[in-house]
Amino acid sequence: FFTHVAPAVFDSRPTFRAFRLLLDNYSRHCGEEEEVTEEESEENRHFLDVIMETGPMKYCHQYCLAKKATYGGESIPEEEEGFKEVLRSIWLELYSRSGGEMDSSGFEHVFVGEVKNDKVSGFHNWIQFYLEETKGNIDYRGYIKPRSCDDSMAETNGDDHVLTLQFAWNGVEKFVGTSFIGVSPEFELALYTIVFLTTEEEDSDISLDVGGE
């Protein structure tokens, strides 16, 4: 799928480096209990620290405050450290996806991907896709034409930032998977956090301008 990605981006940008360190912290099979080491806990803390230094995450925090968002029945903290704890709970705290073991987290599902019932679940991040593809773990099957309010605009080109892909991951199928392409970890985390904290309905419609004329 990817023909060229500048490797320097993963070393020159702190959020990309911190994000990449988290990708190998999980077992991809639902039902296998996750074990979080001290090193992985430190990587989690570092990731939250560096993303909260970015514009998108600062905007996310202020937007949630302006919308009087709540989490766990409490108002979103005004202090940055308190908001980091909200992010940790939403994205990094373990829970059970299989109904038994503590085998998943929001971060693992959305960004890393999981295997459940012999199908790939989650896996919506272009960085993870690129890194797994370079290892030979991805069999790219093609894309599905993106949705558009205007059918004449439902085309793909080199400037696309959202694509729906079909692929196999280590031999396991992902029949439909939509991902942003080329965006930063902080952009995705900010967007998904805003949607999670400020919308009430699971099927809420979200409009996002991703460029174009």
Side-chain angles (χ1 to χ4, degrees):
F1 175 72
F2 287 101
T3 58
H4 176 72
V5 174
V9 71
F10 299 113
D11 297 320
S12 62
R13 300 182 63 173
T15 56
F16 280 72
R17 290 200 307 269
F19 178 86
R20 188 174 180 177
L21 288 175
L22 303 191
L23 297 178
D24 65 354
N25 289 352
Y26 301 95
S27 167
R28 66 176 177 270
H29 294 284
C30 288
E32 293 183 2
E33 185 167 6
E34 299 288 356
E35 295 183 8
V36 183
T37 67
E38 184 175 338
E39 180 181 8
E40 290 170 349
S41 294
E42 179 56 35
E43 289 172 351
N44 288 342
R45 286 190 290 270
H46 177 65
F47 175 68
L48 294 178
D49 286 343
V50 296
I51 63 167
M52 279 308 301
E53 295 176 1
T54 67
M57 289 307 301
K58 290 183 182 298
Y59 177 86
C60 169
H61 187 194
Q62 294 305 312
Y63 185 88
C64 290
L65 289 173
K67 292 295 184 179
K68 302 186 185 302
T70 62
Y71 179 70
E74 301 289 337
S75 297
I76 295 300
E78 294 185 7
E79 300 78 13
E80 189 172 286
E81 288 302 316
F83 189 59
K84 285 182 189 177
E85 178 57 27
V86 171
L87 295 175
R88 186 203 64 78
S89 179
I90 293 172
W91 291 106
L92 301 171
E93 191 170 283
L94 295 177
Y95 62 88
S96 176
R97 184 171 292 276
S98 62
E101 306 292 348
M102 303 295 281
D103 58 359
S104 186
S105 71
F107 184 92
E108 179 184 9
H109 179 75
V110 173
F111 296 106
V112 182
E114 303 170 292
V115 175
K116 182 179 181 181
N117 298 327
D118 298 320
K119 296 179 182 179
V120 174
S121 179
F123 201 137
H124 300 288
N125 180 255
W126 76 269
I127 298 173
Q128 168 72 340
F129 190 101
Y130 166 72
L131 294 173
E132 287 296 290
E133 188 176 42
T134 61
K135 298 173 186 175
N137 295 334
I138 294 290
D139 181 5
Y140 169 63
R141 305 290 175 79
Y143 68 87
I144 299 173
K145 188 166 65 173
R147 293 175 58 189
S148 173
C149 295
D150 178 0
D151 286 341
S152 66
M153 296 294 290
E155 300 176 353
T156 59
N157 57 52
D159 294 324
D160 284 320
H161 293 293
V162 182
L163 286 177
T164 298
L165 308 176
Q166 296 178 319
F167 60 93
W169 182 32
N170 291 298
V172 183
E173 295 292 334
K174 177 71 174 180
F175 295 104
V176 177
T178 301
S179 299
F180 284 96
I181 306 297
V183 300
S184 67
E186 57 266 31
F187 170 84
E188 287 197 79
L189 201 79
L191 176 63
Y192 303 152
T193 300
I194 286 174
V195 172
F196 180 79
L197 290 175
T198 64
T199 59
E200 297 181 359
E201 300 295 332
E202 184 175 342
D203 295 326
S204 296
D205 289 330
I206 304 297
S207 177
L208 179 66
D209 184 356
V210 294
E213 297 181 357

